[in-house]
Amino acid sequence: MFKQLVKKFISTCDGATAIEYGLIAAGIALAISAVVIVLGSKLGAFFDSILQQFA
């Protein structure tokens, strides 16, 4: 009975698939955060320079 339970546990891939999707989502979120941080400061400087022209 224990042998069948272990065999069934090893053959089930649902948990591994969920973990893989979680890691992919975390990687995408990290990449988006990095882009927002880098572009956010550059865009802020860009809009500040535009506002200084009209002030």
Side-chain angles (χ1 to χ4, degrees):
M1 180 156 171
F2 181 72
K3 191 185 265 187
Q4 291 174 347
L5 181 63
V6 170
K7 188 175 181 180
K8 183 179 178 184
F9 178 75
I10 291 173
S11 67
T12 303
C13 296
D14 293 338
T17 303
I19 291 172
E20 289 169 356
Y21 284 138
L23 289 173
I24 291 169
I28 291 171
L30 183 65
I32 290 172
S33 298
V35 168
V36 167
I37 289 170
V38 170
L39 290 181
S41 61
K42 289 183 180 181
L43 282 175
F46 175 71
F47 285 121
D48 285 341
S49 68
I50 291 175
L51 289 175
Q52 287 177 357
Q53 291 177 357
F54 292 110

Coordinates of all heavy atoms in Angstrom, one line a residue:
M1 N 0.8 -1.2 0.0 CA 0.0 0.0 0.0 C 0.9 1.3 0.0 O 0.6 2.2 -0.8 CB -0.9 0.0 1.2 CG -1.8 1.2 1.3 SD -3.2 0.9 2.3 CE -3.9 2.5 2.4
F2 N 1.9 1.3 0.8 CA 2.8 2.5 0.9 C 3.5 2.6 -0.5 O 3.7 3.7 -0.9 CB 3.8 2.3 2.0 CG 4.7 3.5 2.2 CD1 4.3 4.7 2.6 CD2 6.1 3.3 1.8 CE1 5.1 5.8 2.7 CE2 6.9 4.4 1.9 CZ 6.5 5.6 2.4
K3 N 3.9 1.5 -1.1 CA 4.6 1.5 -2.4 C 3.7 2.2 -3.4 O 4.2 3.0 -4.2 CB 5.0 0.1 -2.8 CG 6.0 0.1 -3.9 CD 6.2 -1.4 -4.4 CE 7.5 -1.9 -3.7 NZ 7.9 -3.2 -4.2
Q4 N 2.4 1.8 -3.4 CA 1.5 2.4 -4.4 C 1.3 3.9 -4.2 O 1.2 4.7 -5.1 CB 0.1 1.7 -4.3 CG 0.2 0.3 -4.8 CD -1.2 -0.4 -4.6 OE1 -2.0 0.1 -3.8 NE2 -1.4 -1.6 -5.2
L5 N 1.3 4.3 -2.9 CA 1.1 5.7 -2.6 C 2.3 6.5 -3.1 O 2.2 7.6 -3.6 CB 1.0 5.9 -1.1 CG 0.7 7.3 -0.5 CD1 -0.5 7.9 -1.1 CD2 0.7 7.3 1.0
V6 N 3.5 6.0 -2.8 CA 4.8 6.7 -3.3 C 4.8 6.7 -4.8 O 5.2 7.8 -5.4 CB 6.0 6.0 -2.7 CG1 7.3 6.5 -3.4 CG2 6.1 6.1 -1.2
K7 N 4.4 5.7 -5.5 CA 4.4 5.6 -6.9 C 3.4 6.7 -7.5 O 3.7 7.4 -8.4 CB 4.0 4.2 -7.4 CG 4.2 4.0 -8.9 CD 3.9 2.6 -9.2 CE 4.1 2.3 -10.7 NZ 3.8 0.9 -11.1
K8 N 2.3 6.8 -6.8 CA 1.3 7.7 -7.3 C 1.8 9.2 -7.1 O 1.6 10.0 -7.9 CB 0.0 7.5 -6.5 CG -1.1 8.4 -7.0 CD -2.4 8.2 -6.2 CE -3.5 9.1 -6.6 NZ -4.7 9.0 -5.9
F9 N 2.5 9.4 -5.9 CA 3.0 10.7 -5.6 C 4.1 11.1 -6.6 O 4.1 12.3 -7.1 CB 3.6 10.7 -4.2 CG 4.2 12.0 -3.8 CD1 3.4 13.1 -3.5 CD2 5.5 12.2 -3.8 CE1 3.9 14.3 -3.1 CE2 6.1 13.4 -3.4 CZ 5.3 14.5 -3.1
I10 N 4.9 10.2 -7.0 CA 6.0 10.5 -7.9 C 5.4 10.8 -9.3 O 5.9 11.7 -10.1 CB 7.0 9.4 -8.0 CG1 7.8 9.4 -6.6 CG2 8.0 9.5 -9.1 CD1 8.7 8.2 -6.5
S11 N 4.4 10.1 -9.7 CA 3.8 10.2 -11.1 C 3.0 11.4 -11.2 O 2.7 11.9 -12.3 CB 3.1 9.0 -11.5 OG 1.9 8.9 -10.7
T12 N 2.5 12.0 -10.1 CA 1.7 13.2 -10.2 C 2.6 14.5 -10.5 O 3.5 14.7 -9.8 CB 0.9 13.4 -8.9 OG1 0.2 12.3 -8.6 CG2 0.0 14.6 -8.9
C13 N 2.2 15.2 -11.5 CA 3.0 16.4 -11.9 C 2.3 17.7 -11.6 O 2.8 18.8 -11.9 CB 3.3 16.3 -13.4 SG 4.3 14.9 -13.8
D14 N 1.2 17.7 -11.0 CA 0.4 18.9 -10.7 C 1.2 19.9 -9.9 O 1.2 21.1 -10.1 CB -1.0 18.6 -10.1 CG -1.9 17.8 -11.0 OD1 -1.6 17.9 -12.2 OD2 -2.8 17.2 -10.5
G15 N 1.8 19.4 -8.8 CA 2.5 20.3 -7.9 C 3.7 20.9 -8.6 O 4.0 22.1 -8.4
A16 N 4.4 20.1 -9.3 CA 5.6 20.7 -10.0 C 5.2 21.7 -11.1 O 5.9 22.7 -11.2 CB 6.4 19.5 -10.7
T17 N 4.1 21.5 -11.8 CA 3.6 22.4 -12.8 C 3.2 23.7 -12.1 O 3.6 24.8 -12.6 CB 2.4 21.8 -13.5 OG1 2.8 20.6 -14.1 CG2 2.0 22.7 -14.6
A18 N 2.6 23.6 -11.0 CA 2.1 24.9 -10.3 C 3.4 25.6 -9.8 O 3.4 26.9 -9.9 CB 1.3 24.5 -9.1
I19 N 4.4 25.0 -9.3 CA 5.6 25.6 -8.9 C 6.3 26.3 -10.1 O 6.8 27.4 -10.0 CB 6.5 24.6 -8.2 CG1 5.9 24.2 -6.8 CG2 7.9 25.2 -8.0 CD1 6.6 23.1 -6.1
E20 N 6.4 25.6 -11.2 CA 7.0 26.2 -12.4 C 6.3 27.4 -12.9 O 6.9 28.4 -13.2 CB 7.0 25.1 -13.5 CG 8.0 24.0 -13.3 CD 7.8 22.8 -14.3 OE1 6.9 22.9 -15.1 OE2 8.6 21.9 -14.2
Y21 N 4.9 27.4 -12.9 CA 4.2 28.6 -13.2 C 4.4 29.7 -12.3 O 4.5 30.9 -12.6 CB 2.7 28.3 -13.4 CG 2.3 27.5 -14.6 CD1 1.4 26.5 -14.6 CD2 2.8 27.8 -15.8 CE1 1.0 25.8 -15.7 CE2 2.5 27.1 -17.0 CZ 1.6 26.1 -16.9 OH 1.2 25.4 -18.0
G22 N 4.5 29.4 -11.0 CA 4.8 30.4 -10.0 C 6.2 31.0 -10.2 O 6.3 32.2 -10.1
L23 N 7.2 30.2 -10.5 CA 8.5 30.7 -10.8 C 8.5 31.6 -12.0 O 9.2 32.7 -12.1 CB 9.5 29.6 -10.9 CG 9.8 28.9 -9.6 CD1 10.7 27.6 -9.9 CD2 10.5 29.8 -8.6
I24 N 7.8 31.2 -13.1 CA 7.7 32.0 -14.3 C 7.0 33.3 -14.0 O 7.5 34.4 -14.4 CB 7.0 31.2 -15.4 CG1 7.8 30.1 -15.9 CG2 6.6 32.2 -16.5 CD1 7.1 29.1 -16.8
A25 N 5.9 33.3 -13.2 CA 5.2 34.6 -12.9 C 6.1 35.5 -12.0 O 6.2 36.7 -12.2 CB 4.0 34.2 -12.1
A26 N 6.9 34.9 -11.1 CA 7.8 35.7 -10.3 C 8.9 36.3 -11.1 O 9.3 37.5 -10.9 CB 8.4 34.8 -9.2
G27 N 9.4 35.6 -12.1 CA 10.4 36.1 -13.0 C 9.9 37.3 -13.9 O 10.6 38.3 -14.0
I28 N 8.7 37.1 -14.4 CA 8.1 38.1 -15.2 C 7.8 39.4 -14.3 O 8.1 40.5 -14.7 CB 6.8 37.6 -15.8 CG1 7.1 36.6 -16.9 CG2 6.0 38.8 -16.4 CD1 5.9 35.9 -17.4
A29 N 7.4 39.2 -13.1 CA 7.1 40.3 -12.2 C 8.4 41.0 -11.9 O 8.5 42.3 -11.8 CB 6.4 39.8 -10.9
L30 N 9.5 40.3 -11.7 CA 10.8 40.9 -11.4 C 11.3 41.7 -12.6 O 11.8 42.8 -12.4 CB 11.8 39.8 -11.0 CG 13.2 40.3 -10.6 CD1 13.1 41.1 -9.3 CD2 14.1 39.1 -10.4
A31 N 11.1 41.2 -13.8 CA 11.5 41.9 -15.0 C 10.7 43.2 -15.2 O 11.3 44.2 -15.5 CB 11.4 41.0 -16.2
I32 N 9.4 43.1 -15.0 CA 8.6 44.3 -15.1 C 9.0 45.3 -14.1 O 9.0 46.5 -14.4 CB 7.1 43.9 -15.0 CG1 6.7 43.1 -16.2 CG2 6.2 45.1 -14.8 CD1 5.3 42.5 -16.1
S33 N 9.2 44.9 -12.8 CA 9.7 45.8 -11.8 C 11.0 46.5 -12.2 O 11.1 47.8 -12.0 CB 9.8 45.1 -10.5 OG 8.6 44.6 -10.0
A34 N 11.9 45.8 -12.7 CA 13.2 46.4 -13.1 C 13.0 47.4 -14.2 O 13.6 48.5 -14.1 CB 14.2 45.3 -13.5
V35 N 12.2 47.1 -15.2 CA 11.9 48.0 -16.3 C 11.2 49.3 -15.8 O 11.6 50.4 -16.2 CB 11.1 47.3 -17.4 CG1 10.6 48.3 -18.4 CG2 11.9 46.3 -18.1
V36 N 10.3 49.1 -14.9 CA 9.5 50.3 -14.3 C 10.5 51.2 -13.5 O 10.4 52.4 -13.6 CB 8.3 49.8 -13.5 CG1 7.7 50.9 -12.7 CG2 7.3 49.2 -14.4
I37 N 11.3 50.6 -12.8 CA 12.3 51.4 -12.0 C 13.2 52.2 -12.9 O 13.4 53.4 -12.7 CB 13.1 50.5 -11.0 CG1 12.1 50.0 -9.9 CG2 14.3 51.2 -10.4 CD1 12.7 48.9 -9.0
V38 N 13.8 51.5 -13.9 CA 14.7 52.2 -14.8 C 14.0 53.2 -15.6 O 14.5 54.4 -15.7 CB 15.4 51.2 -15.7 CG1 16.2 51.8 -16.8 CG2 16.3 50.3 -14.8
L39 N 12.9 52.9 -16.2 CA 12.2 53.8 -17.1 C 11.5 54.9 -16.3 O 11.3 56.0 -16.8 CB 11.2 53.1 -18.0 CG 11.9 52.3 -19.1 CD1 10.8 51.6 -20.0 CD2 12.8 53.1 -20.0
G40 N 11.1 54.6 -15.1 CA 10.4 55.5 -14.3 C 11.2 56.7 -14.0 O 10.8 57.9 -14.1
S41 N 12.5 56.5 -13.6 CA 13.3 57.6 -13.3 C 13.7 58.4 -14.5 O 13.7 59.7 -14.5 CB 14.6 57.1 -12.6 OG 15.3 56.3 -13.4
K42 N 13.9 57.8 -15.6 CA 14.2 58.5 -16.9 C 12.9 59.3 -17.4 O 13.1 60.4 -17.8 CB 14.6 57.5 -18.0 CG 16.0 56.9 -17.7 CD 16.4 56.0 -18.9 CE 17.8 55.4 -18.6 NZ 18.2 54.5 -19.6
L43 N 11.8 58.7 -17.3 CA 10.6 59.4 -17.6 C 10.3 60.6 -16.7 O 9.9 61.7 -17.2 CB 9.3 58.5 -17.6 CG 9.2 57.6 -18.8 CD1 8.0 56.6 -18.6 CD2 9.0 58.4 -20.1
G44 N 10.6 60.4 -15.5 CA 10.4 61.5 -14.5 C 11.4 62.7 -14.9 O 10.9 63.9 -14.9
A45 N 12.6 62.4 -15.2 CA 13.5 63.4 -15.6 C 13.1 64.1 -16.9 O 13.2 65.3 -17.1 CB 14.9 62.8 -15.8
F46 N 12.6 63.3 -17.8 CA 12.1 63.8 -19.1 C 10.9 64.8 -18.9 O 10.9 65.9 -19.5 CB 11.6 62.7 -20.0 CG 11.0 63.1 -21.3 CD1 11.8 63.7 -22.3 CD2 9.7 62.9 -21.5 CE1 11.2 64.1 -23.5 CE2 9.1 63.3 -22.7 CZ 9.9 63.9 -23.7
F47 N 9.9 64.4 -18.1 CA 8.8 65.3 -17.9 C 9.2 66.5 -17.1 O 8.7 67.6 -17.2 CB 7.7 64.6 -17.2 CG 6.9 63.6 -18.1 CD1 6.8 62.3 -17.9 CD2 6.3 64.1 -19.3 CE1 6.2 61.4 -18.8 CE2 5.6 63.3 -20.1 CZ 5.6 62.0 -19.9
D48 N 10.2 66.4 -16.2 CA 10.7 67.6 -15.4 C 11.3 68.6 -16.4 O 11.1 69.8 -16.2 CB 11.7 67.1 -14.4 CG 11.0 66.5 -13.2 OD1 9.8 66.7 -13.0 OD2 11.7 65.8 -12.4
S49 N 12.1 68.1 -17.3 CA 12.7 69.0 -18.3 C 11.7 69.7 -19.2 O 11.8 70.9 -19.5 CB 13.7 68.2 -19.2 OG 13.0 67.3 -20.1
I50 N 10.6 69.0 -19.5 CA 9.5 69.6 -20.3 C 8.8 70.7 -19.4 O 8.5 71.8 -19.9 CB 8.5 68.5 -20.8 CG1 9.1 67.7 -21.8 CG2 7.2 69.2 -21.3 CD1 8.3 66.5 -22.3
L51 N 8.5 70.4 -18.2 CA 7.9 71.3 -17.3 C 8.7 72.6 -17.0 O 8.2 73.7 -16.9 CB 7.5 70.7 -16.0 CG 6.3 69.7 -16.1 CD1 6.1 69.0 -14.7 CD2 5.0 70.4 -16.5
Q52 N 10.0 72.4 -17.0 CA 10.9 73.5 -16.8 C 10.9 74.5 -18.0 O 11.1 75.7 -17.8 CB 12.3 73.1 -16.5 CG 12.5 72.4 -15.1 CD 13.9 71.9 -14.9 OE1 14.8 71.9 -15.8 NE2 14.2 71.4 -13.7
Q53 N 10.6 74.0 -19.1 CA 10.6 74.8 -20.3 C 9.4 75.8 -20.3 O 9.4 76.9 -20.8 CB 10.6 74.0 -21.6 CG 11.9 73.3 -21.9 CD 11.8 72.4 -23.1 OE1 10.7 72.3 -23.7 NE2 12.9 71.8 -23.5
F54 N 8.3 75.3 -19.7 CA 7.1 76.1 -19.6 C 7.0 76.9 -18.4 O 6.1 77.7 -18.2 CB 5.8 75.2 -19.7 CG 5.7 74.5 -21.1 CD1 5.9 73.2 -21.2 CD2 5.4 75.3 -22.2 CE1 5.8 72.5 -22.5 CE2 5.3 74.7 -23.4 CZ 5.5 73.3 -23.6
A55 N 7.8 76.7 -17.4 CA 7.8 77.5 -16.2 C 8.5 78.8 -16.2 O 9.2 79.2 -17.1 CB 8.3 76.7 -15.0

